[in-house]
């Protein structure tokens, strides 16, 4: 796990010393991603400079140093990530007479590209990665990113140079940096709480989409030409292929097949020359990961969890019970509200562009604690998207089944009626009525729920309902000055997989949007901020393909998600330790905003400040802030989106 940067001087104006200084400074901004080693490589005649920061995981010797030059001197590689099946690839390469200096996966990848070419080498590689390859003979630069997007890679044009880096902070070090906020990307942030690929917060800077590779040709002069971005793997093709060729075996055979794939995915991700552990929440995904880790290990696995003193946010006792059953060496840390809030000023630096999933806070805290003990940690991410675990999959289908029969015009009339009365006013009335009811029959925050109901009733079809369920600000372009919403994987229907079932369409859209642009961003930035490598067995490409072949009834059954995954887990952990309602990995942001964070919020949301900065219309934001403070409504998700941009903007200007 490392950080990579590079530039190509398209104008041919820079000498070698200037290139080396620039790329070295850019790489130093990524020291947290690679504290163990650093290297640069410059070809002044071609105007090319590459740099690398190394977190040593495999082959701790100098043989793993990067940038790495191929044995024939033709290619130069900077690589971030892991090729998990590198031993099998190495054996195959050795049969072709290829020798190796060390035992790193980087050297194997470099040799694979030399023998098979880029596209075949990518197809054969099972891993998480982002890398850049300079071909000295063809004078071309290639960038590539793993299938699902576990590792980040930004690219674009700065002052006439083509540049790339693992994080934006490296690009900002470029001597001719003039970053301007992309208001379309800012609008998407308010919609989703993250900025989806291929956009970034800056104009002219893009995220390379997962499963794609890019070629910069010698003819490139600026962003108008010379760059080709093509897919080498397609989630859409995998989903559609699975629908065409579904698994036809018995439930027992499906469970056995799933466990075999899971076990091998875990085994591959235990390969390291440094200590390895695992995040353990006590939920299904992390528990099955740890259970199989423990079976592959000769000694107790190191597991880590954090807890909160607020019971509604605490899962540490569940994790502790699973750890005790599996016999792991378990470490837990209970965090106070003050300790959690102390992370907030660090978020703009950690996440590097505005990012507003508040579970970023506990994710960083558990990463920080884990890094004190190990250098690599496995996590259970990916199970919800592949095996139907999110509550919206049940909620969305259930809601549409209940209202879909109504004519669209009738639904719109009811929605208008709710809005006319006002959810806040209706909520106050319902609260007064509920005061006479037993606690078990009361509805929490009825105003919020009525507002959501009005939005749902107004949706014309189930796909629009999904879009509403995954949206924060429903009309963000009205809040961002000069804002507009560019197309995304969620809104570009032409790019959707052809799946007749509504639940499967939701799962697919999460796989290509929410997973790479929220979940994986959160895990990567939080873990790499403390130089911890995170590995995710459930995102092994073989598991993704197998999951899409499984009939939906093996994933969602009796209103419960991840059904088949549960059956495998029950072989290792008793049901009593696992079966409970799904909870998120969050913190009480809603109450913090009204309490200890209020002064911080007031400063960032000051109407004069918002007007002076010129990114947001102050009125709708202040209206939500004041209503949230009153306690009549909970607008913390909406407000956190704005606050994270405001905090990032303040940090970027410092």
């Amino acid at each position: 796990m490392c950080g990579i940067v590079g530039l190509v001087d398209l104008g041919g104006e820079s000498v070698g010393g200037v290139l080396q200084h620039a790329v070295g400074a850019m790489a130093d901004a990524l020291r947290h991603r690679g504290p163990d080693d650093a290297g640069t490589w410059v070809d002044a005649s071609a105007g090319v400079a590459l740099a690398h920061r190394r977190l040593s995981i495999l082959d701790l010797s100098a043989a793993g140093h990067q940038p790495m030059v191929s044995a024939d001197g033709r290619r130069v590689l900077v690589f971030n990530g892991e090729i998990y099946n590198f031993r099998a690839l190495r054996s195959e390469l050795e049969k072709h007479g290829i020798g190796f200096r060390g035992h790193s996966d980087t050297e194997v990848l470099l040799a694979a590209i030399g023998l098979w070419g880029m596209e075949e080498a990518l197809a054969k590689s099972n891993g998480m990665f982002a890398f850049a390859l300079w071909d000295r003979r063809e004078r071309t630069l290639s960038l590539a990113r793993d299938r699902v997007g576990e590792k980040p890679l930004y690219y674009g044009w700065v002052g006439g140079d083509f540049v790339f880096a693992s994080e934006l902070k490296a690009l900002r070090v470029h001597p001719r940096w003039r970053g301007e906020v992309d208001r379309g990307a800012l609008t998407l942030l308010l919609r989703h709480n993250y900025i989806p690929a291929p956009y970034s917060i800056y104009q002219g800077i893009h995220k390379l989409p997962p499963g794609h590779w890019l070629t910069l040709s010698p003819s490139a002069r600026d962003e108008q030409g010379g760059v080709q971005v093509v897919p080498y793997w397609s989630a859409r093709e995998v989903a559609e292929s699975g629908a065409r060729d579904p698994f036809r075996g018995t439930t027992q055979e499906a469970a056995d097949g799933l466990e075999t794939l899971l076990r091998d995915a875990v085994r591959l991700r235990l390969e390291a020359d440094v200590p390895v552990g695992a995040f353990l929440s006590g939920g299904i995904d992390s528990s099955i990961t740890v259970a199989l880790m423990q079976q592959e290990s000769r000694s107790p696995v190191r597991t880590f969890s954090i807890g909160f003193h607020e019971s509604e946010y605490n899962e540490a006792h569940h994790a502790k019970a699973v750890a005790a059953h599996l016999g792991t060496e378990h470490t837990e840390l209970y965090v106070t509200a003050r300790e959690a809030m102390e992370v907030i000023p660090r978020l703009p630096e950690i996440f590097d562009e505005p990012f507003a999933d508040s579970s970023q806070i506990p994710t960083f805290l558990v990463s920080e604690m884990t890094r004190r003990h190990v250098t690599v940690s496995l996590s259970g991410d990916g199970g919800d998207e592949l095996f139907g675990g999110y509550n919206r999959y049940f909620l969305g289908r259930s809601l549409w089944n209940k209202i879909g029969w109504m004519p669209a015009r009738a639904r719109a009339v009811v929605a208008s009626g709710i809005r006319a009365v006002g959810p806040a006013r209706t909520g106050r009335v319902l609260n007064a009525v509920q005061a006479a009811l037993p606690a078990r029959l009361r509805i929490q925050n009825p105003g919020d729920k009525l507002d959501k109901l009005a939005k749902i009733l107004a949706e014309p079809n189930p796909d629009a309902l999904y879009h509403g369920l995954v949206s924060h600000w429903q009309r963000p372009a009205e809040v961002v000055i000069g804002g507009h919403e560019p197309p995304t994987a969620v809104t570009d229907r032409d790019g959707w997989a052809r799946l007749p079932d509504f639940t499967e369409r939701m799962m697919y859209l999460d796989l290509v949007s929410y997973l790479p642009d929220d979940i994986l961003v959160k895990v990567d930035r939080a873990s790499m901020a403390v130089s911890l490598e995170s590995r995710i067995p459930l995102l092994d490409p073989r598991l993704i393909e197998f999951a899409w072949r499984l009939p939906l009834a093996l994933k969602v059954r009796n209103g419960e998600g991840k059904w088949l995954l549960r059956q495998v887990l029950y072989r290792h952990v008793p049901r009593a330790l696992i079966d409970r309602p799904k909870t998120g990995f969050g913190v009480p942001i809603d109450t913090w905003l009204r309490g200890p964070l209020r002064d911080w919020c007031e400063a960032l949301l000051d109407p004069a400040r918002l007007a002076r900065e010129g990114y947001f219309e102050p009125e709708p934001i202040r209206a939500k802030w004041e209503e949230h403070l009153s306690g009549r409504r909970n607008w913390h998700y909406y407000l956190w989106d704005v606050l994270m941009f405001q905090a990032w903007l303040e940090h970027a200007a410092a």
Side-chain angles (χ1 to χ4, degrees):
M1 191 69 65
C2 309
I4 63 173
V5 303
L7 64 86
V8 181
D9 177 9
L10 298 175
E13 300 173 357
S14 299
V15 297
V18 173
L19 289 171
Q20 181 140 355
H21 176 76
V23 80
M26 291 166 68
D28 285 345
L30 301 179
R31 181 181 178 86
H32 56 287
R33 296 189 76 92
D36 298 329
D37 189 21
T40 60
W41 182 90
V42 175
D43 182 344
S45 64
V48 176
L50 308 176
H52 187 261
R53 293 292 320 198
R54 185 183 183 195
L55 176 63
S56 300
I57 302 294
L58 286 168
D59 193 348
L60 309 185
S61 73
H65 177 78
Q66 297 184 48
M68 186 176 290
V69 181
S70 62
D72 61 4
R74 174 179 168 178
R75 298 175 179 86
V76 187
L77 178 70
V78 284
F79 175 77
N80 168 31
E82 305 288 348
I83 304 296
Y84 297 120
N85 64 334
F86 79 99
R87 291 196 182 279
L89 294 178
R90 177 172 175 144
S91 296
E92 191 173 349
L93 291 164
E94 287 173 336
K95 293 176 182 177
H96 290 272
I98 296 175
F100 293 90
R101 301 183 300 273
H103 64 272
S104 73
D105 55 345
T106 305
E107 190 178 2
V108 170
L109 177 62
L110 193 52
I113 294 170
L115 179 64
W116 296 314
M118 178 69 78
E119 194 158 7
E120 187 174 351
L122 287 169
K124 287 175 174 284
S125 297
N126 178 348
M128 60 172 184
F129 51 80
F131 66 81
L133 180 85
W134 175 251
D135 188 319
R136 302 174 73 181
R137 188 176 74 190
E138 300 295 330
R139 297 175 76 86
T140 59
L141 178 74
S142 298
L143 307 180
R145 192 173 177 207
D146 65 67
R147 291 167 175 82
V148 190
E150 292 184 59
K151 294 294 100 188
L153 190 54
Y154 293 86
Y155 72 93
W157 289 261
V158 175
D161 292 347
F162 179 87
V163 295
F164 67 87
S166 297
E167 295 183 24
L168 288 173
K169 57 172 64 71
L171 301 183
R172 289 197 293 267
V173 176
H174 189 285
R176 293 191 294 277
W177 174 258
R178 297 288 186 273
E180 294 186 22
V181 170
D182 184 328
R183 292 175 187 259
L186 177 55
T187 307
L188 291 173
L189 173 71
L190 297 198
R191 168 73 69 181
H192 295 293
N193 86 17
Y194 58 82
I195 297 172
Y199 311 105
S200 86
I201 192 59
Y202 291 117
Q203 295 179 25
I205 303 298
H206 314 285
K207 301 179 180 106
L208 184 64
H212 283 66
W213 64 297
L214 173 154
T215 302
L216 179 75
S217 71
S219 63
R221 288 293 176 265
D222 54 38
E223 56 188 293
Q224 301 304 316
V227 174
Q228 184 179 30
V229 179
V230 296
Y232 67 87
W233 184 86
S234 168
R236 174 179 177 172
E237 290 178 5
V238 169
E240 291 178 346
S241 175
R244 289 193 303 269
D245 181 27
F247 181 85
R248 301 185 186 280
T250 65
T251 300
Q252 178 72 32
E253 289 168 339
D256 291 343
L258 176 57
E259 180 162 7
T260 297
L261 288 172
L262 270 169
R263 189 181 299 278
D264 192 58
V266 167
R267 181 186 59 79
L268 288 177
R269 284 157 183 78
L270 292 176
E271 179 87 37
D273 295 328
V274 293
V276 179
F279 299 141
L280 179 60
S281 69
I284 295 165
D285 305 335
S286 67
S287 295
I288 187 60
T289 299
V290 170
L292 296 177
M293 283 179 71
Q294 189 58 73
Q295 290 202 352
E296 293 291 324
S297 177
R298 296 178 181 177
S299 59
V301 169
R302 297 295 305 269
T303 55
F304 305 92
S305 65
I306 63 168
F308 296 94
H309 298 287
E310 297 87 352
S311 59
E312 64 269 33
Y313 295 94
N314 183 45
E315 286 193 295
H317 54 292
H318 298 306
K320 187 175 183 179
V322 172
H325 175 79
L326 295 174
T328 72
E329 183 180 344
H330 190 59
T331 302
E332 63 180 8
L333 173 68
Y334 271 78
V335 179
T336 66
R338 166 171 282 194
E339 290 170 325
M341 285 186 287
E342 286 175 350
V343 175
I344 293 174
R346 303 172 63 184
L347 294 177
E349 173 69 17
I350 293 169
F351 286 89
D352 208 30
E353 73 175 339
F355 180 77
D357 181 339
S358 61
S359 64
Q360 62 200 135
I361 297 171
T363 303
F364 173 78
L365 288 167
V366 73
S367 297
E368 185 178 49
M369 184 258 290
T370 300
R371 184 61 177 92
R372 300 186 191 118
H373 305 274
V374 299
T375 310
V376 175
S377 184
L378 274 62
S379 78
D381 296 294
D384 289 303
E385 293 83 359
L386 294 175
F387 294 94
Y390 287 128
N391 289 332
R392 59 175 162 266
Y393 301 150
F394 320 116
L395 177 63
R397 179 181 286 274
S398 174
L399 287 171
W400 193 254
N401 286 343
K402 290 175 181 177
I403 68 171
W405 61 271
M406 296 174 61
R409 182 173 296 181
R411 295 199 309 272
V413 168
V414 176
S416 298
I418 294 173
R419 291 192 177 115
V421 176
R425 184 185 307 169
T426 309
R428 288 195 295 273
V429 173
L430 289 175
N431 277 329
V433 172
Q434 289 189 124
L437 297 175
R440 62 184 175 84
L441 297 180
R442 297 174 190 169
I443 301 173
Q444 295 296 316
N445 303 314
D448 290 343
K449 290 180 170 58
L450 281 169
D451 183 54
K452 291 177 182 176
L453 176 61
K455 293 171 185 173
I456 290 166
L457 287 169
E459 301 295 0
N461 55 58
D463 295 317
L465 171 61
Y466 166 81
H467 192 221
L469 290 173
V470 298
S471 297
H472 286 195
W473 294 82
Q474 299 293 317
R475 291 181 292 276
E478 297 177 5
V479 181
V480 177
I481 296 172
H484 66 284
E485 286 194 70
T488 67
V490 174
T491 59
D492 181 12
R493 294 182 65 97
D494 290 339
W496 289 7
R498 297 182 182 88
L499 300 167
D501 186 89
F502 176 38
T503 300
E504 289 188 324
R505 289 200 301 277
M506 288 191 283
M507 292 166 60
Y508 168 77
L509 290 173
D510 279 346
L511 177 66
V512 297
S513 58
Y514 181 67
L515 176 67
D517 294 317
D518 185 310
I519 300 299
L520 298 182
V521 168
K522 176 179 64 179
V523 173
D524 174 81
R525 304 306 192 279
S527 60
M528 291 310 298
V530 294
S531 306
L532 175 74
E533 174 168 303
S534 177
R535 300 176 176 179
I536 307 177
L538 282 164
L539 294 183
D540 187 293
R542 299 166 300 169
L543 271 166
I544 296 173
E545 292 166 6
F546 182 77
W548 277 106
R549 291 190 62 219
L550 293 173
L552 186 61
L554 290 181
K555 303 173 191 175
V556 178
R557 185 175 294 191
N558 300 324
E560 183 177 74
K562 297 191 270 197
W563 185 86
L564 190 65
L565 205 58
R566 291 172 186 268
Q567 308 316 303
V568 175
L569 179 56
Y570 295 152
R571 298 174 176 183
H572 307 279
V573 178
R575 287 174 180 259
L577 297 183
I578 298 298
D579 286 352
R580 59 182 182 276
K582 181 178 178 62
T583 58
F585 192 38
V587 288
I589 288 291
D590 53 344
T591 56
W592 288 358
L593 297 187
R594 296 187 182 102
L597 292 178
R598 180 168 178 171
D599 290 345
W600 175 73
C601 297
E602 288 285 8
L604 292 176
L605 301 180
D606 176 70
R609 177 176 181 165
L610 293 175
R612 182 176 65 254
E613 291 167 343
Y615 291 105
F616 295 121
E617 298 285 356
E619 292 80 6
I621 292 171
R622 292 299 302 186
K624 281 189 166 38
W625 172 235
E626 290 165 9
E627 195 169 27
H628 184 82
L629 285 177
S630 73
R632 296 193 302 271
R633 299 290 303 278
N634 276 324
W635 294 117
H636 51 291
Y637 292 127
Y638 293 67
L639 293 167
W640 195 248
D641 298 339
V642 177
L643 288 164
M644 284 295 94
F645 175 80
Q646 290 294 97
W648 172 86
L649 187 66
E650 184 176 71
H651 173 78

